């Protein structure tokens, strides 16, 4: 007998007992037959890494064996990295010794171990007297270099946390500083010394005074002033020289040399103290004691709010600060605060820019806004809602509100016909939390009502069960701060040519550049109320276009398809002559107006007169062409004298670009005339109100340049057989730094239009969509339709919220068809479909009751031509008659009733859009609305584990078959301890037909990406099961994908040909594998990009046309199943007695029994079926007969 004291293992040893084979095995002739295969799915430590060694004997007659013992199946063994693997005879069962066993070994893939803990990190809080968290970490290290996914994880956590605290807040005075200079040199004065309060927090204060005053300079002053003046005489205090009868006079001119009337003259040191005002010739004259003056001339700029007050919630007895700040030239010097429209007394509240309210009472709740003014104008801020809660009232309602989740189409709940389940949700409104400091303009992160508790419930779907996480309790928590993103693409209005590498400005700051395809992405401060973005083409082929963008404060990424106008080709004009340039050139139509430039009007930037050839480019945005509406700059609003932002109705905009002969230096002009032909003003009441406006590119607001006056001239026009008198409106302007101008009228006939967007054409209240951009274009009044029915007057866009959207529009009470509107809806680049108006007007579908519906004359865009798109509708903007009850319930509201429109109940009249998703379904176990990122909940089963970064994964499945097929992905946890075997969600999508290949379609199916879960502690390889719904069989799998899955265990079984199961890959594989992965800060954008790449079959392309021959992961064959005879169910319905008799006879035959004494009733088969039944009875064996019968019944 071979004595073996130890079998020393040079590698880490894992005995076969770890696989259920036992550590040692008695020798037996049947050893080989009892050796089981390895399970590659359950053992992640050994799969595909090494091979087993040969079996060999182990004989240990005695020994200490004082190392670790391991018991398994009655045998006692030991193992260890240092001492090896041994067996002790005296410890074996009776009749056995160590020589009765043999053993084999397998190399452990790698030995993993933890490094020492790092030092504790800094405390997470730097605030004094506060408690935070410290973290220390360690790393999992392996002794051999191997691929990452083959390394077994170390047991335990890679980080530890502990509580830490900072010392109490302190405040103490610094040493006194030196005494300052005495205020006088004689006659008695004072001097000051100061000290500073050094404190670790704003919550504590030093006691005492920060300054001390001491008398000084007590010596008497000399009787006579010693100051000697070269001009004038000493002042009374002998501090300076002055001239008693000095006259300050001068002239003020613009850069073009024109005199500036009514200009204010002030000292640079005292800009708010006006010394003089210029007369009509730009001259001023003023007695002053100053011997020299330096004049500073600035263009006046109207005030503009840069900091708006924010919504806040406080408890009774607390305090609050509301802030407001505006810019302008001159700077605004007066601020006024209003509560629910009532001016607050400045003497009582002692406010300036900021309003501070102490000892709050519930009656102080309401809307607060500020108004600021200067000599250039006024402006109002947006209103902030202050909520003051009574003491003892809960900060947040703990009972969740009703929230219905749509269930899968095949989920039928027994005892009910409902396709929805109430999962509950917490209203994401602000609440009174525990702030570290309550006197800031912005309350830090703030507090909102959020999910406190969720519980798992099971939905009975009849044939299967569906898990869901339902909200059971809400509480006041820190608000989730989603990232606000603005995306889009900049293209020309005529042929969609992209603005490549254009410069993007917000104010004076350049913030980005457009891409090669014109795309852009902007990350915006969540505090932004009004976003003005200016797109500048460095090649000067397109107009510089300022746009006012909508923001979704809930984090939804708004996609903007920005249109810009192509710059008009420059023409050469002589600067020394009178030049006329037409405004608006449409074939068969007269120009809307003219630009008349007097001779010698051009000047350089330094004011020097320019003589020679001028390269003149004047681009006109013509409202008679509706395709130019989207290219209009700004948002067609102006600010009136009271500071309210009001709408304009345009009759045309134009951009001017004058350059020198070399086409390099930009030129300005002096007085230029703008002529507007009154024949194009269809509403006569607009003519006396017409004004000329220029666009402020920083604020996006139109500002008044001048009024218009009448003139009559004789002219001939397009299609005119003779010359005739025509009336023009004449306005004057100077072309300086602003280059965009507008012919507009302030319109006071205004209304609001109520629009809602839905997930489907069922128009359910629980399926309303937020974050949808609704756009309304005001069309030309009815009298103008005779010349051009596609003219427009203004446009507006609004984002839908929890209760839809209210869009401003022009309306008329006298004539219902005086104004019409064209309305569209878009969400993330996807156009939504409007409620149909044909073949018959259905008020229940459109959402507007009769008889108001007839008055509005609702028509979807395909009303007369079914070939047109269904993504818009047109209505008459009939102002509601408040004396008619049928018109007081929407969908059009008076302008003064904005609150009524915004708070309208769901059953009130409104217009509707919906997403066309009949063949798409998404189910999340933890409910989440992708258009509202604030609904995200931190849970192990959340589909999106990180609310700041969203990773979308799709797999491309090809279908061979005559019909499109629904493909389902079932997504469950795979390797994480908290989610293993639990459902994340379900995705259903119908395959899309490939128009280039017959009987072929493909589906881009979303699946749950592998990766870290919400706690960022460990990863999960989610298990994905793909199942085409139908008679489908898998015929192909992408070779690269299959190889990747084999090399990155564990590997899921794929024995069933009707589906496919895999553990989702960690890596973003790309189109060569048929996998498409996109990461973005918005889930909808990530999914849209991934779907576009999947359709295109590339890793960087984008398409909405399915290409089934590119980038495919799986292929299924789904032929139509032919029905050649009645099914068993059909036979039971038609002949139940005969069918049951036949079933009994077949059962006896299958058991080998003789059929005797059967009922005389027989099943009446057709002749060819009866022949098949007889052939089965004479078959050679019962087994074959039963098999054949079973197959035919199937």
């Amino acid at each position: 007998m071979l004595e073996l004291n130890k079998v020393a293992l040079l590698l880490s040893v894992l005995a076969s007992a770890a696989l259920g084979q036992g550590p040692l095995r008695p020798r037996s002739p049947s050893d080989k037959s009892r050796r089981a295969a390895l399970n590659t799915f359950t053992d992640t430590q050994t799969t595909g890494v090494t091979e087993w060694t040969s079996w060999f004997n182990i004989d240990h007659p005695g020994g200490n064996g004082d190392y670790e013992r391991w018991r398994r199946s009655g045998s006692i063994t030991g193992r260890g990295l240092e001492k090896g693997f041994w067996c002790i005879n005296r410890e074996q069962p009776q009749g056995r010794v160590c020589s009765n066993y043999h053993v084999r070994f397998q190399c452990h893939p790698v030995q993993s171990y933890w490094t020492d803990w790092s030092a504790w990190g800094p405390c997470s809080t730097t605030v004094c007297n506060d408690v935070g968290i410290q973290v220390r970490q360690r790393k999992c290290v392996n002794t051999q270099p191997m691929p990452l996914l083959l390394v077994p994880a170390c047991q335990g956590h890679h980080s530890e946390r502990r509580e830490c605290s900072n010392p109490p807040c302190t405040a103490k005075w610094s040493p006194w500083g030196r005494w300052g200079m005495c205020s006088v040199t004689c006659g008695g004065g004072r001097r000051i010394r100061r000290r500073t309060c050094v404190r670790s927090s704003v919550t504590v204060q030093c006691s005492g005074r920060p300054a001390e005053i001491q008398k000084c300079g007590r010596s008497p002053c000399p009787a006579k002033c010693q100051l000697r003046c070269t001009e004038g005489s000493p002042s009374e205090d002998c501090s300076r020289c002055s001239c008693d009868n000095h006259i300050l006079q001068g002239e003020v001119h613009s850069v073009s040399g024109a005199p500036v009337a009514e200009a204010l003259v002030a000292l640079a040191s005292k800009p708010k103290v006006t010394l003089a005002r210029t007369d009509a010739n730009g001259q001023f004259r003023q007695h002053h004691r100053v011997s020299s003056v330096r004049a500073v001339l600035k263009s006046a700029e109207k005030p503009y709010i840069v900091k708006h007050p924010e919504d806040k919630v406080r408890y009774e007895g607390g305090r609050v600060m509301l802030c407001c700040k505006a810019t302008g030239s001159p700077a605004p010097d007066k601020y006024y605060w209003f509560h629910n429209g009532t001016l607050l007394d400045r003497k009582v509240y002692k406010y300036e820019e900021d309003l501070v309210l102490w000892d709050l009472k519930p009656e102080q709740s309401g809307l607060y806004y500020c108004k600021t003014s200067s000599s250039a104008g006024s402006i109002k801020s947006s209103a902030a809602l202050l909520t003051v809660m009574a003491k003892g009232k809960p900060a947040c309602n703990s009972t969740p509100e009703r929230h219905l989740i749509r269930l899968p189409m095949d989920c039928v709940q027994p005892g009910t016909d409902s396709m929805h389940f109430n999962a509950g949700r917490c209203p994401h409104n602000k609440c009174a939390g525990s702030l570290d400091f309550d006197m800031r303009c912005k309350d830090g992160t703030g507090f909102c009502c959020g999910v406190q508790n969720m519980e798992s419930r099971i939905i009975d779907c009849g044939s299967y069960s569906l898990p869901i996480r339902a909200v059971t309790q809400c509480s006041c928590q820190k608000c989730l701060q989603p990232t606000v993103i603005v995306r889009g693409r900049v293209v020309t209005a005529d042929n969609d040519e992209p603005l490549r590498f254009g410069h993007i400005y917000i104010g004076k700051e350049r913030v980005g550049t457009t891409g090669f395809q014109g795309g852009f992405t902007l990350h915006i401060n969540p505090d932004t109320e009004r976003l003005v973005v200016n797109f500048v083409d460095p090649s000067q082929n397109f107009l510089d276009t300022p746009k006012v963008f909508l923001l979704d404060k809930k984090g939804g990424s708004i996609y903007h398809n920005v249109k810009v106008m192509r710059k008009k080709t420059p023409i050469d004009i002589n600067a020394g002559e009178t030049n006329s340039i037409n405004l608006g050139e449409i074939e068969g139509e007269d120009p809307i107006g003219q630009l008349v430039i007097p001779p010698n009007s051009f000047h350089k930037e330094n004011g020097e007169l320019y003589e020679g050839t001028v390269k003149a480019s004047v681009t006109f945005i013509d409202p008679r062409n509706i395709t130019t509406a989207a290219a209009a700059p700004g948002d067609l609003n102006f600010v009136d004298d009271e500071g309210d932002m009001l709408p304009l109705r345009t009759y045309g905009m134009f951009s001017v670009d004058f350059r020198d002969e070399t086409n390099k230096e930009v030129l300005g002009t002096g007085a230029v005339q703008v002529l507007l032909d009154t024949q194009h003003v269809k509403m006569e009441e607009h003519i006396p109100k017409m004004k000329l406006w220029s666009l402020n590119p920083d604020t996006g607001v139109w500002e008044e340049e001048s009024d218009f006056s009448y003139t009559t001239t004789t002219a001939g026009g397009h299609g005119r057989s003779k010359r005739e008198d025509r009336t023009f409106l004449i306005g004057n302007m100077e072309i300086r730094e602003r280059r965009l101008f507008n012919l507009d009228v302030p319109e006071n006939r205004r209304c609001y239009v109520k629009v809602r967007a839905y997930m489907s054409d069922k128009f359910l209240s629980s399926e309303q969509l937020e974050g949808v951009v609704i756009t309304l274009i005001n069309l030309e009044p009815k009298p103008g339709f005779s010349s051009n029915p596609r003219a427009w007057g203004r446009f507006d866009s609004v984002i839908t919220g929890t209760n839809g959207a209210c869009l401003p529009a022009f309306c008329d009470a006298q004539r219902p068809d005086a104004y019409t509107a064209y309305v569209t809806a878009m969400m993330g680049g996807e156009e939504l479909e409007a409620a149909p108006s044909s073949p018959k007007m259905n008020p229940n579908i459109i959402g507007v009751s009769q008889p108001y519906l007839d008055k509005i004359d609702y028509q979807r865009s395909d009303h007369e031509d079914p070939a047109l798109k269904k993504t818009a509708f047109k209505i008459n903007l009939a102002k509601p008659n408040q004396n008619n009850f049928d018109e007081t319930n929407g969908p059009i509201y008076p302008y003064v009733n904005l609150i009524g429109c915004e708070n309208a109940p769901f059953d009130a009249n409104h217009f509707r859009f919906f997403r066309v998703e009949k063949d798409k379904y998404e189910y999340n176990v933890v409910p989440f609305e992708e258009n509202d990122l604030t609904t995200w909940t931190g849970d192990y089963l959340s589909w999106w584990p990180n609310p700041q970064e969203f990773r979308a994964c799709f797999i491309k499945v090809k279908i061979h078959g005559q019909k499109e097929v629904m493909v389902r992905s079932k997504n469950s946890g795979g390797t994480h301890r908290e989610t293993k075997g639990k459902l994340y969600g379900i995705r259903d999508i119908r395959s899309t037909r490939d128009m280039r290949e017959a009987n072929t379609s493909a589906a881009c199916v979303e699946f749950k990406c592998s990766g870290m879960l919400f706690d960022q502690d460990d990863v999960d390889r989610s298990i994905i099961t793909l199942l085409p719904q139908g008679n489908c069989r898998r015929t192909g799998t992408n070779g690269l994908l299959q190889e990747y899955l084999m090399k990155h265990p564990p590997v899921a079984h794929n024995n069933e040909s009707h589906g496919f199961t895999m553990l989702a890959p960690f890596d973003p594989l790309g189109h060569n594998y048929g996998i498409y992965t996109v990461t973005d800060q918005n889930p909808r954008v990530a999914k849209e990009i991934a779907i576009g790449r999947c359709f295109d079959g590339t890793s960087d392309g984008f398409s909405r046309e399915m290409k089934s021959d590119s980038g495919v992961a799986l292929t299924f064959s789904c032929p139509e199943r032919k029905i050649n005879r009645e099914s068993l169910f059909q036979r039971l319905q038609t002949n139940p007695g005969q069918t049951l008799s036949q079933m009994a006879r077949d059962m006896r035959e299958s058991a080998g029994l003789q059929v005797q004494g059967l009922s005389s009733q027989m099943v009446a088969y057709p002749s060819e079926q009866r022949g098949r039944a007889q052939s089965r009875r004479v078959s050679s064996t019962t087994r074959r007969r039963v098999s054949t019968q079973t197959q035919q019944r199937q």
Side-chain angles (χ1 to χ4, degrees), residues 312-320 357-365 386-395 431-433 438:
K312 295 190 177 182
V313 182
R314 294 290 189 272
Y315 273 115
E316 183 179 2
R319 59 184 184 175
V320 70
L357 302 176
W358 305 84
D359 192 19
L360 290 169
K361 301 292 189 297
E363 55 267 21
Q364 290 180 286
S365 298
L386 173 63
T387 303
V388 181
M389 304 180 65
K391 291 182 178 179
K393 184 178 179 180
C431 55
D438 56 359

Side-chain angles (χ1 to χ4, degrees), residues 212-282:
E212 282 187 349
I213 301 176
Q214 188 181 66
K215 293 182 179 180
C216 62
R218 298 181 179 181
S219 59
C221 295
K224 188 177 180 179
C225 179
Q226 302 297 320
L227 181 65
R228 297 290 181 266
C229 297
T230 58
E231 185 176 332
S233 59
S235 60
E236 293 180 359
D237 61 355
C238 198
S239 61
R240 59 187 175 87
C241 297
S242 63
C243 304
D244 293 336
N245 297 318
H246 187 77
I247 297 178
L248 176 67
Q249 61 182 1
E251 297 180 348
V252 178
H253 295 267
S254 67
V255 292
S256 61
V260 179
E262 298 297 320
L264 301 180
V265 180
L267 295 178
S269 59
K270 300 179 179 179
K272 294 185 179 181
V273 180
T274 301
L275 298 179
R277 187 186 298 266
T278 59
D279 58 19
N281 297 319

Side-chain angles (χ1 to χ4, degrees), residues 337 339 343-352 354-358 364 368:
W337 280 93
H339 175 218
L343 177 65
L344 297 179
D345 191 339
R346 186 187 303 272
K347 295 180 180 179
V348 174
Y349 292 93
K350 297 179 174 54
Y351 60 76
E352 288 296 334
D354 303 334
L355 173 66
V356 179
L357 302 176
W358 305 84
Q364 290 180 286
Y368 289 81

Side-chain angles (χ1 to χ4, degrees), residues 388-676:
V388 181
M389 304 180 65
K391 291 182 178 179
K393 184 178 179 180
C396 182
N397 186 0
S398 60
T399 303
E401 63 183 19
R402 182 178 176 85
H403 180 55
L404 297 179
I405 301 297
R406 187 159 59 100
L407 301 178
M409 295 299 295
D410 58 348
C411 180
V412 181
Q413 301 178 75
T416 176
D417 295 331
S418 175
M419 296 292 296
H420 295 80
F421 183 86
N422 181 20
R425 69 177 171 187
C426 299
H428 194 77
N429 55 316
K430 290 194 174 183
C431 55
S434 179
L435 299 171
D436 58 347
F437 186 60
D438 56 359
M439 293 293 284
R440 295 191 182 101
C441 293
K442 179 179 175 61
D443 284 344
T445 26
F447 287 81
C448 302
C449 288
V451 176
Q452 175 68 25
N453 290 319
M454 301 181 76
E455 69 177 23
S456 297
R457 296 178 182 173
I458 301 297
I459 303 174
D460 185 2
C461 293
S463 59
Y464 66 96
S465 297
L466 201 61
I468 191 169
R469 298 279 287 166
V471 180
T472 58
Q473 186 179 6
C474 303
S475 65
C476 191
Q477 303 174 2
K478 285 191 175 181
C479 297
L480 177 67
Q481 294 291 331
T483 304
V484 180
I485 303 175
V486 173
R487 302 176 182 273
R489 185 167 178 253
V490 187
V491 296
T492 56
D494 52 1
N495 62 357
D496 285 347
E497 178 186 347
L499 171 59
R500 294 189 170 100
F501 313 116
H503 298 170
I504 305 175
Y505 290 87
I506 296 180
K508 299 289 192 298
E509 180 184 1
R510 181 178 168 184
V511 296
T513 305
T514 61
F516 182 77
Q517 296 297 332
F520 66 91
T521 300
L522 301 176
H523 295 260
I524 306 301
N525 188 329
D527 300 333
T528 304
E529 290 287 339
R530 179 179 168 90
L531 178 62
V532 182
V533 182
N534 194 8
F535 296 94
V536 178
D537 179 17
S539 64
Q540 295 298 318
N541 294 323
F542 306 141
L543 292 184
D544 297 348
T545 306
K547 289 287 185 179
V548 179
F549 285 151
L550 300 171
L551 296 177
D552 187 355
K553 294 300 184 67
K554 293 184 178 180
S557 177
I558 304 298
Y559 186 89
H560 297 274
N561 193 20
V562 180
K563 301 284 187 177
V564 297
M565 292 291 291
R566 193 181 301 276
K567 188 176 289 186
K568 194 78 171 178
T569 303
I571 59 174
D572 292 340
I573 60 176
N574 190 337
E577 300 176 353
T578 300
N579 295 279
S580 298
I581 301 175
N582 288 335
L583 301 176
E585 297 179 355
I586 292 182
E587 186 177 353
E589 296 282 338
D590 289 322
I592 284 181
Q594 282 185 337
L595 194 66
V596 180
I597 308 171
N600 302 317
S601 296
F602 293 96
H603 59 78
K604 300 180 181 180
E605 291 185 353
N606 59 5
E608 179 184 345
L609 182 68
Y610 176 81
E611 298 177 347
T613 302
V614 176
K615 299 285 186 181
S617 172
V618 179
T619 307
F620 189 72
I621 301 177
D622 200 326
R624 296 174 295 180
N625 181 2
I626 198 172
T627 62
T628 63
D635 59 357
L636 285 176
N637 288 326
F638 77 103
V639 178
D640 68 357
D641 294 337
E642 293 298 319
D644 293 308
M645 191 168 290
L646 301 175
L648 292 170
R649 192 267 188 231
T650 185
Y651 282 90
M653 309 176 195
F654 60 94
S655 171
V656 297
D657 185 24
F658 299 137
R659 296 176 182 265
D660 63 2
E661 193 169 5
T662 63
N663 204 30
K664 293 182 179 179
E665 184 176 0
V666 178
L667 304 177
T669 69
V672 174
Q673 288 187 334
V674 180
L675 276 65
L676 173 63

Side-chain angles (χ1 to χ4, degrees), residues 1067-1084:
D1067 305 305
L1069 299 180
H1071 69 286
N1072 290 327
Y1073 297 79
I1075 302 292
Y1076 302 86
T1077 306
V1078 174
T1079 301
D1080 194 88
Q1081 291 175 314
N1082 184 271
R1084 290 188 312 191

